[in-house]
C-alpha cells in the first residue's frame, strides 16, 4: 500500500498550473516534473502537489538564492541577508528554530553571523524537490527545532529503460539580471545504464551591488579608505558563488544506493545588515544514501560528512584600515559535521503503519580571529571566540499512523533527543580589553534531554472538504553561539550577530532548551476533482517556554564598558544584549485561495490565486513584541497559459510594520505594494524566461531586511542608526536553457 504526503498549504503561485486543463502543442516536449509543496502533515495519505518544472524555473530565473524558491508558500517569509543566503521564516520562527535538511543532511551554519545557512549550500538550479512542513510537524520529520521543517533534495539519479540502452542527457543554461548586473550559468549532464547513473551539476553566479528605487542615504565614499557609493546603491550586496555536485546512483531491483559529492566555493558575499562580509566560504560534503523497498515496508539510511572553512573580513564598502596598521579584522570559522540516520516504515496491516527511526549528529566548531595590527585592541594574540565547540545529538523516534475509516486518519509520535554541548577555554586579543576568566571558570559541559510529541487527526466528511487538527510539543537546544560566545567587549559583541539588527550579542552558558506547545487546525475546501477551486485556512497558536530571546546587558563600568546603565535606556542607537530565556507566544493564520477563471481554445487558460499571512509574536514576560515578525501580507497572482506559453502577473502587498521589538530598538518599516511580471516559452529542447521585478520601481524596505550596516567604519560605533536595508529597485531579467 503506497503512502504519499498531504499537501495542505500549497504554494499558489505554482499551484494553478495543476488546476488548469492546458492543452499543450504536440511538438512541445513534456515538461520534467518536480515536487514543490507546503505541508502540515507528511504521513497522512493524499497526493503531493506534482508541479510543472516551468513554474520553478521562473523563480530560478529571478534569483540565485535557493531560499527565495519558498517565497509565496503560505506562512513563509524571508530574513534579509546576503545575495544567496537569506533565511526562511515559518509562522514567525526562523534560522535554527527550523529544521532544514539538504539531501538528508542536517547542515549547520558555521558563522558568528550565520552567513552560510543550510539552503545556501545548494544552487536553485539543482533543486528537484522542495517541501515545507508547517504547523504540526510529525516527529519523523522534526527534531531539534520548534518551528517547521524544510526538506530540499537535489536531482535524483535517472536510469536507462533496459539493459540494451544508455541514457545520455543534459542541460545548459544562463541568466542575466539588470539590477546589480547579475549573471550566471549552469550545466547538468547525465550518463546512465539500467543499473548505474552518473550525474554532474555545476553552477556559478555573480552580481555587483544592487540599486534601490530611490536615494536612501547621501552619496559619497563608502568609507574613508573606500570607493564611491551613489545614494541609491545598497552597499555590501555584491556576491559570487560556485557550486559543483556529482551524484552516482546504483540500482538493483527495489534498492537504490546514492553517493553524492558536493563542493561549494564562495569567493565573496557582501552583507548589508552585518558589520562583516564573507570573504571566503569553502565546503565539501560526501553523502551516502540508501533506499530499499521490501514486502513488509521501506528502509531509508544515510551517512554524511561535511566540512566548512569560512572567512569574514571587511569587503569593498566597509572601512579596512584602522589605526596605523590594523588591516581590517580577519575572522575564520571551521566547522565539521558528521551524521547518520536510519528510518523504517512497516505495514503492520491494512490499517496501521509504524515508523521507527534513529539519528546521530556530531558537530565541531572553531571560531578564531587572528591578530590585526602590531598594537591596540586587536593584538597581540589570536582571539578565540569558540574553541573546540561541541554539539552532539542522539535521537530515536517512533510514529503510528492509522486509517480507521475512509473518513478518519490519525498520527501519533514520540521522539527523544539527547543534546550534549561543550567548549574549551578561550583567550582574548589581550588581557587588558578582554577577560575570559569568568567564562573559563564556568561549567560549560551541558546535556539536554529533549522530548517531542505529536498527535494529529484528519476528518474527511465529503469529497469537497477535509479538516485537520493537532497538538505538538517540540524542543530545541541552544546553538553554540547562543551558549558560548563569551566576550562583553563592545567590538567583539558587535561581531556576533545572528539577527541582522546591528546590535552586539554575548552568549549565556546557562540557557535552557526552548519548548514549544503548538495547536493547529486546517480546513481545506475544494471541488470534487480538485481541478477548479481550492480554499485552505490554517489558524495556529504556540506557547514557548524558555524561548531564547535577548535582554540588554548591564553592570559594567569603565571607559571601555558597553554593558552600562545607559545601555538599558537608549532608544535611538544600537545596543548590547545577552541571550536569555523568556516565555513567548506566537499566533496567526494563513489563508490561500485558488480558482480556475476562464478557458478558451484560442485564448488559453486563466487562473487566479491569493495568499494571506498573519502572525503575531509576544514576549509574555515583558509584553514586548518578538523580533522580526512579518506584518500582515498578501500575494495576488493572475496566470495565463496557452500551450507552451506561460504568463504571470503578481502583486505583493505588505502592511506597515509598527509592532517592533523595543529591546533591540528594531526599526519600523512602511507598507508597500510591488508588481512583478514574468513570462516564459518552452520549445522541445529550449526554454526562455523574461521578467520584470518591481515594475513600478517602488522604494521600500522589506520588514525583515534588518538594519543597514553595509558601509563605513562598521567595526566601531559610528554606523548611523535608523536606516533599514532597502529593497531592490526595478530589475529586468532573462534566462535561457537548452536540453540535450
Amino acid at each position: 500500500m503506497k503512502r504519499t504526503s498531504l499537501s495542505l498549504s500549497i504554494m499558489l503561485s505554482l499551484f494553478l498550473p495543476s488546476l488548469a486543463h492546458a492543452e499543450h502543442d504536440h511538438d512541445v516536449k513534456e515538461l520534467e516534473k518536480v515536487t514543490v509543496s507546503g505541508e502540515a502533515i507528511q504521513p497522512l495519505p493524499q497526493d503531493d502537489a506534482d508541479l510543472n518544472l516551468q513554474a520553478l524555473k521562473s523563480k530560478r530565473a529571478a534569483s540565485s538564492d535557493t531560499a527565495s524558491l519558498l517565497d509565496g508558500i503560505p506562512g513563509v517569509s524571508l530574513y534579509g541577508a546576503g545575495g544567496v543566503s537569506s533565511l526562511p521564516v515559518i509562522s514567525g520562527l526562523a534560522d535554527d528554530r527550523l529544521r532544514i535538511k539538504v539531501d538528508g543532511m542536517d547542515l549547520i551554519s558555521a558563522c558568528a553571523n550565520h552567513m552560510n545557512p543550510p539552503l545556501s549550500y545548494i544552487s536553485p538550479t539543482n533543486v528537484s524537490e522542495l517541501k515545507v512542513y508547517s504547523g504540526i510537524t510529525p516527529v519523523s520529520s522534526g527534531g531539534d527545532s520548534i518551528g517547521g521543517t524544510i526538506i530540499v533534495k537535489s536531482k535524483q539519479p535517472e536510469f536507462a529503460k533496459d539493459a540494451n540502452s544508455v541514457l545520455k542527457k543534459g542541460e545548459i543554461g544562463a541568466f542575466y539580471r539588470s539590477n546589480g548586473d547579475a549573471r550566471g550559468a549552469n550545466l547538468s549532464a547525465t550518463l546512465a545504464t539500467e543499473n548505474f547513473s552518473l550525474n554532474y551539476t555545476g553552477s556559478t553566479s555573480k552580481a555587483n551591488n544592487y540599486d534601490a528605487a530611490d536615494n536612501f542615504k547621501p552619496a559619497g565614499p563608502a568609507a574613508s579608505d573606500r570607493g564611491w557609493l551613489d545614494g541609491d546603491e545598497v552597499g555590501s550586496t555584491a556576491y559570487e558563488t560556485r557550486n559543483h555536485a556529482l551524484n552516482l546512483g546504483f540500482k538493483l531491483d527495489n534498492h537504490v544506493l546514492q553517493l553524492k559529492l558536493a563542493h561549494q566555493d564562495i569567493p565573496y558575499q557582501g552583507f548589508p545588515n552585518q558589520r562583516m562580509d564573507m570573504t571566503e566560504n569553502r565546503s565539501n560534503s560526501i553523502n551516502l544514501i540508501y533506499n530499499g523497498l521490501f514486502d513488509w515496508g521501506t528502509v531509508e539510511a544515510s551517512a554524511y560528512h561535511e566540512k566548512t572553512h569560512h572567512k569574514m573580513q571587511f569587503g569593498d564598502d566597509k572601512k579596512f584600515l584602522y589605526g596605523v596598521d590594523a588591516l581590517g579584522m580577519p575572522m575564520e570559522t571551521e566547522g565539521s559535521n558528521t551524521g547518520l540516520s536510519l528510518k523504517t516504515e512497516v505495514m503492520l496491516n491494512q490499517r496501521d503503519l509504524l515508523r521507527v527511526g534513529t539519528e546521530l549528529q556530531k558537530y565541531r566548531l572553531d571560531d578564531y580571529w587572528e591578530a590585526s595590527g602590531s598594537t591596540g585592541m586587536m593584538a597581540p594574540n589570536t582571539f578565540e571566540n569558540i574553541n573546540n565547540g561541541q554539539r552532539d545529538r542522539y535521537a530515536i523516534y517512533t510514529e503510528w499512523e492509522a486509517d480507521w475509516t475512509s473518513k478518519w486518519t490519525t498520527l501519533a509520535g514520540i521522539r527523544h533527543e539527547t543534546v550534549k554541548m561543550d567548549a574549551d577555554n578561550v583567550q582574548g586579543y589581550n588581557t587588558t580589553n578582554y577577560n575570559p576568566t569568568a567564562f573559563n571558570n564556568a561549567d560549560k559541559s551541558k546535556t539536554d534531554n529533549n522530548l517531542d510529541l505529536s498527535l494529529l487527526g484528519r476528518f474527511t466528511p465529503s469529497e469537497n472538504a477535509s479538516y485537520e487538527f493537532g497538538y505538538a510539543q517540540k524542543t530545541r537546544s541552544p546553538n553554540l553561539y547562543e551558549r558560548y560566545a563569551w566576550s562583553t567587549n563592545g567590538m567583539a559583541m558587535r561581531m556576533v550577530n545572528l539577527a541582522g539588527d546591528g546590535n552586539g550579542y554575548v552568549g549565556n552558558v546557562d540557557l535552557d532548551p526552548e519548548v514549544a506547545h503548538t495547536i493547529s487546525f486546517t480546513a481545506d475546501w475544494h471541488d470534487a476533482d480538485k481541478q477548479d477551486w481550492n480554499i485552505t485556512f490554517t489558524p495556529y497558536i504556540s506557547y514557548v517556554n524558555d524561548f531564547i530571546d535577548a535582554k540588554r546587558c548591564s553592570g559594567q563600568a569603565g571607559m571601555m564598558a558597553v554593558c552600562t546603565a545607559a545601555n538599558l535606556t537608549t532608544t535611538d542607537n544600537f545596543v548590547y544584549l545577552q541571550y536569555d530565556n523568556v516565555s513567548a507566544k506566537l499566533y496567526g493564520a494563513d489563508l490561500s485561495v485558488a480558482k480556475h477563471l476562464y478557458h478558451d481554445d484560442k485564448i488559453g487558460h486563466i487562473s487566479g490565486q491569493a495568499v494571506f499571512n498573519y502572525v503575531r509574536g509576544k514576549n509574555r514576560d515583558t509584553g514586548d513584541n518578538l523580533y522580526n515578525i512579518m506584518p500582515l501580507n498578501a500575494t495576488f497572482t493572475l496566470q495565463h497559459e496557452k500551450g507552451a506559453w506561460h504568463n504571470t502577473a503578481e502583486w505583493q502587498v505588505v502592511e506597515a510594520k509598527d509592532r517592533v521589538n523595543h529591546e533591540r530598538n528594531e526599526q519600523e518599516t512602511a507598507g508597500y505594494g510591488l508588481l512583478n511580471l514574468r513570462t516564459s516559452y518552452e520549445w522541445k529542447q529550449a526554454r526562455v524566461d523574461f521578467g520584470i521585478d518591481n515594475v513600478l520601481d517602488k522604494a521600500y524596505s522589506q520588514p525583515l531586511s534588518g538594519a543597514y550596516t553595509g558601509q563605513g567604519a562598521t567595526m566601531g560605533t559610528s554606523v548611523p542608526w535608523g536606516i533599514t536595508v532597502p529593497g531592490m529597485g526595478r530589475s529586468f531579467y532573462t534566462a535561457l536553457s537548452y536540453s540535450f
Side-chain angles (χ1 to χ4, degrees):
M1 178 180 178
K2 183 179 179 182
R3 302 269 178 157
T4 53
S5 56
L6 173 65
S7 301
L8 289 177
S9 303
I10 299 173
M11 185 163 68
L12 291 177
S13 62
L14 300 178
F15 180 61
L16 259 292
S18 66
L19 295 180
H21 308 277
E23 297 178 359
H24 295 281
D25 297 337
H26 292 296
D27 61 342
V28 176
K29 178 184 176 183
E30 178 67 17
L31 295 176
E32 181 182 352
K33 298 293 184 178
V34 63
T35 299
V36 181
S37 57
E39 307 185 8
I41 315 176
Q42 185 242 6
L44 296 185
Q46 182 175 316
D47 290 341
D48 277 331
D50 190 17
L51 306 172
N52 286 331
L53 186 59
Q54 64 85 19
L56 186 59
K57 284 185 175 179
S58 296
K59 288 184 171 291
R60 293 172 178 169
S63 176
S64 299
D65 183 7
T66 298
S68 69
L69 301 178
L70 299 164
D71 194 24
I73 293 179
V76 176
S77 50
L78 300 175
Y79 273 21
V84 296
S85 297
S86 61
L87 302 172
V89 188
I90 300 177
S91 302
L93 299 171
D95 203 7
D96 286 345
R97 293 190 172 101
L98 306 179
R99 188 177 190 188
I100 301 177
K101 296 175 69 70
V102 179
D103 280 330
M105 299 184 292
D106 282 298
L107 299 179
I108 297 175
S109 182
C111 173
N113 302 141
H114 276 198
M115 292 181 175
N116 46 17
L119 292 182
S120 69
Y121 285 101
I122 183 171
S123 166
T125 58
N126 196 23
V127 174
S128 68
E129 185 175 335
L130 194 158
K131 294 183 178 180
V132 177
Y133 301 86
S134 59
I136 307 301
T137 305
V139 297
S140 58
S141 300
D144 199 34
S145 61
I146 61 170
T149 297
I150 298 172
I151 294 179
V152 178
K153 293 183 180 180
S154 62
K155 297 176 181 178
Q156 300 302 297
E158 298 178 82
F159 299 94
K161 294 181 179 179
D162 52 54
N164 298 320
S165 60
V166 176
L167 176 65
K168 301 175 183 178
K169 62 180 297 187
E171 182 182 72
I172 187 170
F175 71 86
Y176 177 78
R177 307 179 195 117
S178 63
N179 199 327
D181 193 28
R183 60 277 191 199
N186 62 278
L187 170 68
S188 177
T190 298
L191 177 65
T193 65
E194 183 183 21
N195 300 112
F196 174 76
S197 176
L198 174 64
N199 170 263
Y200 165 79
T201 302
S203 64
T204 181
S205 59
K206 184 176 183 178
N208 303 326
N209 289 342
Y210 71 76
D211 294 331
D214 203 354
N215 293 339
F216 67 98
K217 57 180 173 58
S224 59
D225 55 352
R226 295 302 197 181
W228 184 273
L229 286 182
D230 292 333
D232 62 349
E233 183 176 350
V234 183
S236 299
T237 54
Y239 63 86
E240 181 177 1
T241 179
R242 310 178 189 118
N243 290 277
H244 305 274
L246 188 66
N247 186 10
L248 288 78
F250 306 88
K251 183 177 72 170
L252 180 62
D253 297 328
N254 294 325
H255 307 274
V256 177
L257 183 67
Q258 296 182 66
L259 178 64
K260 292 177 177 283
L261 306 173
H263 170 74
Q264 182 188 74
D265 176 23
I266 299 182
Y268 63 89
Q269 183 179 189
F271 282 76
N273 61 1
Q274 295 287 358
R275 295 174 181 268
M276 304 294 294
D277 295 310
M278 178 190 292
T279 53
E280 182 181 292
N281 197 85
R282 292 180 179 269
S283 171
N284 294 289
S285 66
I286 180 170
N287 189 8
L288 187 65
I289 304 171
Y290 165 76
N291 289 272
L293 176 63
F294 300 87
D295 293 338
W296 48 264
T298 63
V299 174
E300 298 177 16
S302 67
Y304 64 87
H305 178 73
E306 183 264 339
K307 191 170 181 61
T308 298
H309 188 193
H310 171 72
K311 294 183 179 181
M312 290 189 292
Q313 182 54 283
F314 302 116
D316 291 342
D317 299 325
K318 291 168 181 167
K319 183 178 175 63
F320 186 65
L321 177 62
Y322 285 84
V324 178
D325 59 354
L327 301 178
M329 183 180 180
M331 301 171 63
E332 294 191 41
T333 306
E334 295 182 0
S336 176
N337 186 8
T338 302
L340 299 170
S341 68
L342 175 65
K343 176 183 177 182
T344 61
E345 291 191 353
V346 182
M347 291 298 306
L348 301 177
N349 49 54
Q350 288 297 312
R351 188 193 69 183
D352 301 313
L353 174 66
L354 181 68
R355 294 182 183 88
V356 179
T358 183
E359 297 171 0
L360 180 150
Q361 184 181 40
K362 180 180 179 181
Y363 183 66
R364 298 293 181 267
L365 179 75
D366 285 299
D367 188 330
Y368 54 95
W369 314 344
E370 294 181 357
S372 182
S374 56
T375 61
M377 289 281 293
M378 296 184 289
N381 303 320
T382 294
F383 182 97
E384 295 174 340
N385 191 33
I386 294 180
N387 182 23
N388 190 29
Q390 304 167 39
R391 193 178 193 274
D392 298 336
R393 296 171 50 224
Y394 309 88
I396 186 169
Y397 62 84
T398 184
E399 204 167 66
W400 170 44
E401 177 186 333
D403 291 330
W404 299 99
T405 68
S406 60
K407 295 183 177 181
W408 279 100
T409 302
T410 61
L411 178 72
I414 183 170
R415 180 186 185 103
H416 182 271
E417 291 208 8
T418 299
V419 181
K420 295 184 176 181
M421 297 177 62
D422 204 351
D424 291 347
N425 290 346
V426 296
Q427 68 177 16
Y429 286 118
N430 52 66
T431 57
T432 303
N433 301 301
Y434 309 88
N435 184 359
T437 301
F439 177 82
N440 288 340
N441 290 338
D443 181 9
K444 296 180 284 295
S445 178
K446 302 293 180 181
T447 299
D448 301 326
N449 291 294
N450 300 334
L451 184 67
D452 284 9
L453 305 170
S454 63
L455 180 61
L456 306 96
R458 185 180 70 180
F459 176 56
T460 308
S462 70
E463 60 185 7
N464 297 109
S466 66
Y467 303 94
E468 296 191 6
F469 48 90
Y471 161 80
Q473 173 181 300
K474 302 190 66 180
T475 311
R476 177 188 80 98
S477 289
N479 62 42
L480 289 173
Y481 289 100
E482 289 167 333
R483 265 191 171 149
Y484 297 134
W486 61 273
S487 179
T488 56
N489 176 279
M491 184 272 291
M493 292 180 71
R494 291 189 291 273
M495 301 300 121
V496 178
N497 186 303
L498 310 181
D501 58 6
N503 298 313
Y505 287 81
V506 65
N508 185 344
V509 174
D510 296 322
L511 286 175
D512 291 322
E514 300 176 321
V515 181
H517 301 272
T518 301
I519 298 173
S520 179
F521 171 80
T522 295
D524 188 349
W525 300 286
H526 46 263
D527 64 289
D529 296 328
K530 301 180 182 179
Q531 295 291 314
D532 184 51
W533 61 274
N534 173 264
I535 300 175
T536 303
F537 178 62
T538 303
Y540 56 87
I541 185 168
S542 293
Y543 289 91
V544 187
N545 298 326
D546 294 316
F547 184 86
I548 300 176
D549 207 336
K551 65 177 181 181
R552 299 191 190 186
C553 61
S554 63
Q556 289 185 347
M559 183 177 64
M560 301 300 298
V562 295
C563 293
T564 62
N567 184 57
L568 298 176
T569 58
T570 183
T571 59
D572 59 356
N573 208 338
F574 298 111
V575 293
Y576 301 91
L577 305 112
Q578 182 176 35
Y579 291 110
D580 190 36
N581 291 121
V582 303
S583 177
K585 178 176 69 174
L586 297 101
Y587 60 92
D590 305 318
L591 172 67
S592 59
V593 181
K595 181 69 173 72
H596 173 239
L597 301 174
Y598 181 79
H599 168 63
D600 182 270
D601 290 339
K602 293 183 179 180
I603 296 177
H605 301 267
I606 300 175
S607 55
Q609 312 95 56
V611 177
F612 301 85
N613 302 309
Y614 175 77
V615 61
R616 284 291 312 275
K618 300 287 290 185
N619 182 324
R620 300 177 67 204
D621 292 342
T622 66
D624 200 3
N625 301 295
L626 296 183
Y627 173 71
N628 243 10
I629 298 295
M630 188 74 177
L632 177 66
N633 62 94
T635 301
F636 303 92
T637 306
L638 186 67
Q639 290 188 336
H640 167 257
E641 297 183 30
K642 188 178 189 303
W645 196 277
H646 301 265
N647 305 292
T648 302
E650 180 183 79
W651 185 34
Q652 298 177 341
V653 183
V654 179
E655 188 182 45
K657 181 178 181 179
D658 51 16
R659 296 189 178 102
V660 294
N661 181 258
H662 297 93
E663 195 77 0
R664 290 174 169 85
N665 284 345
E666 184 181 7
Q667 299 155 41
E668 297 182 358
T669 57
Y672 61 88
L674 301 179
L675 177 64
N676 305 313
L677 301 175
R678 55 183 178 265
T679 185
S680 67
Y681 192 89
E682 183 138 357
W683 292 271
K684 189 173 183 179
Q685 290 181 278
R687 174 190 171 95
V688 60
D689 285 270
F690 178 77
I692 310 174
D693 281 340
N694 196 357
V695 174
L696 304 179
D697 205 24
K698 175 72 174 180
Y700 72 102
S701 286
Q702 294 177 338
L704 311 185
S705 63
Y708 182 65
T709 55
Q711 64 185 84
T714 56
M715 185 168 65
T717 59
S718 61
V719 177
W721 177 87
I723 304 175
T724 53
V725 178
M728 185 180 291
R730 183 188 297 118
S731 182
F732 298 84
Y733 65 86
T734 186
L736 303 171
S737 63
Y738 176 76
S739 300
F740 56 89

